[in-house]
Amino acid sequence: MARDVSDATPIVSRDQLVESLASGCKPESRWRVGTEHEKFGFYLDTCAPVPYEGPRGIRKLLEAMEGLLGWQPIYDHDKIIGLTDPTGLGAISLEPGGQFELSGAPRETVRQTCREVNGHLAQVRECATPLGIGFLGLGSSPNWTLAETPRMPKSRYDIMSRYMPKVGTRGLDMMYRTCTIQANLDFSSEADMVQKMRVAVALQPIVTALFANSPFTEGKPNGFQSWRSWVWLDTDNDRSGMVPFVFEDGFGFERYVDWALDVPMYFAKRGDTYHDVAGGDFRDLIDGNLKELPGETATVSDWENHLTTLFPEVRLKRFIEVRGADGGPGRRICALPALWVGLFYDQASLDGAWDIVRDWTTEERQTLREAVPTTALATPFRNRTVRDIARDVIGLARAGLTRRARLNGEGDDETMFLSSLEEIVATGETQAQTLLRQYETEWNHDIGRIYKDYAY
């Protein structure tokens, strides 16, 4: 999230919040896909993480990118913390530990979003290389301790850092030592949103397995294929997880609003000041009874910012945000939106995906969620494995992209962006397993090789 929303329009009713989510409904002709990805910066000469300040710090990198792109800087007090594209809705932001994030603009095709990703990576290299900075696409930092990881000067992160240890054991690891790839997609109606949310939540463990890419912590194997996903199992369960209410009869915009209202707040922003209201009740703010902000009532910006502090496996705003994938190399960044566009933007493929998951129980979905961080594609499910399910899901996505028929000048459709996932299913080897194999053989247990072999 590059910039917190500023809109002082008062919130006077729950219906107003429901209508805000419902306003995301769009005709199919206006459906777009947005892709977000995070990556770890490191010094090329030492493989150490990059601090914010200093002659070769993150601040200097952001200033260099501001000069290259002409994007508008975003400040937290006097600290530049991001950039925003004044014309295309894209943004660059900092995660708590200095993870560098591109929040891509809504694009009509997977090809356009992939072109945006590749262009961004080239721009980052142009600005970072003179500073001696490289970037790594992984789900977790491979050898830095939490103490060694720098902290970015963002007020909302200070509040979160104080609150996280009160509600889980791994929240600070999530904030400072993990990276993800996410895709944002549209819906046409409440019924369409409900079907897509249910399919997306059920399939998040399958996606986690396909994108598993975080097998190292503090310089050695951590026992997981997706350590990042395991970390989320005890981060803050009030605001994360598999949101089982999505599958209840009557689920819709109202039910999601009620859940969001039940989630404790982190902050309320007034002017340039972030007020720590962690643990506060948003309903009290609506009523003007939040003790941390006496006399203040809720605004649209409070609600929009609150929604960004909810971290379920699939998040609903005025679009659907799928959140189950580890960070990874460029091909995987493009593969995630391709997978979801193929499933979501073709009704036959969406119905096929729903047929796969519709009779899964709450307990089965949760068991999958808890197992895949360790066993990934080999995770058993009924009489099959996650690898078998992944093969079927990718097949549906391929069929959806084929029918969508968004062709380039050479007549190629978007199915090409699924190739890296098809390779994983064909071999049965996740990226995490590839890394572990290299660590045991050609790297001779030298984790430093990962910076040489996998840097962007």
Side-chain angles (χ1 to χ4, degrees), residues 18 133 174 323 433:
V18 175
I133 296 172
M174 179 278 292
R323 300 167 44 82
Q433 290 172 311

Side-chain angles (χ1 to χ4, degrees), residues 19 29 43 83 117-118 144 303 313 357 377 396 447 456:
E19 290 166 5
S29 61
Y43 285 126
L83 301 167
V117 166
N118 291 331
W144 310 325
W303 177 247
E313 293 291 297
V357 306
L377 294 177
L396 288 170
I447 196 67
Y456 285 127

Side-chain angles (χ1 to χ4, degrees), residues 357-373:
V357 306
R358 67 191 309 157
D359 68 339
W360 294 2
T361 67
T362 300
E363 292 74 20
E364 285 176 322
R365 291 191 298 268
Q366 186 61 33
T367 297
L368 272 179
R369 171 67 186 85
E370 293 174 5
V372 293

Side-chain angles (χ1 to χ4, degrees), residues 17 29 54 82 88 101 131-133 157 176 182 199 206 250 287 292 308 349 368 392 430 433:
L17 307 180
S29 61
E101 178 179 4
L131 298 173
I133 296 172
Y157 295 157
Y176 293 96
Q182 299 175 185
V199 167
I206 313 304
D287 296 336
E292 294 87 352
T308 71
S349 289
L368 272 179
D392 292 345
T430 65
Q433 290 172 311

Side-chain angles (χ1 to χ4, degrees), residues 372-411:
V372 293
T374 305
T375 50
L377 294 177
T379 305
F381 184 79
R382 297 183 179 177
N383 296 320
R384 311 180 75 205
T385 65
V386 165
R387 181 184 178 187
D388 297 324
I389 300 168
R391 184 182 293 110
D392 292 345
V393 169
I394 295 169
L396 288 170
R398 171 172 279 278
L401 293 176
T402 299
R403 285 188 289 266
R404 209 170 108 88
R406 299 300 178 90
L407 309 180
N408 64 11
E410 287 73 46

Side-chain angles (χ1 to χ4, degrees), residues 43 52 90 105 123 135 172 183 186 217 260 280 292 305 315 317 332 340-341 354 367 371 374 384 392 407 455:
Y43 285 126
Y52 180 79
Q123 293 157 356
F135 283 91
L172 296 182
D186 290 315
T217 305
E292 294 87 352
N305 293 333
R315 182 159 64 187
K317 299 179 186 174
R332 304 286 161 73
W340 287 109
V341 167
W354 177 234
T367 297
T374 305
R384 311 180 75 205
D392 292 345
L407 309 180

Side-chain angles (χ1 to χ4, degrees), residues 29-103:
S29 61
R30 291 178 53 204
W31 287 357
R32 300 291 185 266
V33 57
T35 305
E36 304 176 28
H37 80 272
E38 302 162 359
K39 48 205 169 289
F40 295 103
F42 66 94
Y43 285 126
L44 294 167
D45 54 354
T46 65
C47 300
V50 182
Y52 180 79
E53 296 288 7
R56 298 192 298 149
I58 292 288
R59 182 174 191 159
K60 291 296 184 184
L61 177 58
L62 283 173
E63 290 170 348
M65 294 205 70
E66 178 190 356
L68 175 68
L69 301 174
W71 287 13
Q72 295 175 351
I74 303 166
Y75 289 95
D76 191 326
H77 299 291
D78 64 339
K79 308 287 189 183
I80 183 172
I81 57 167
L83 301 167
T84 184
D85 179 357
T87 61
L89 301 179
I92 293 169
S93 60
L94 300 179
E95 292 299 303
Q99 305 98 314
F100 215 68
E101 178 179 4
L102 173 68
S103 299

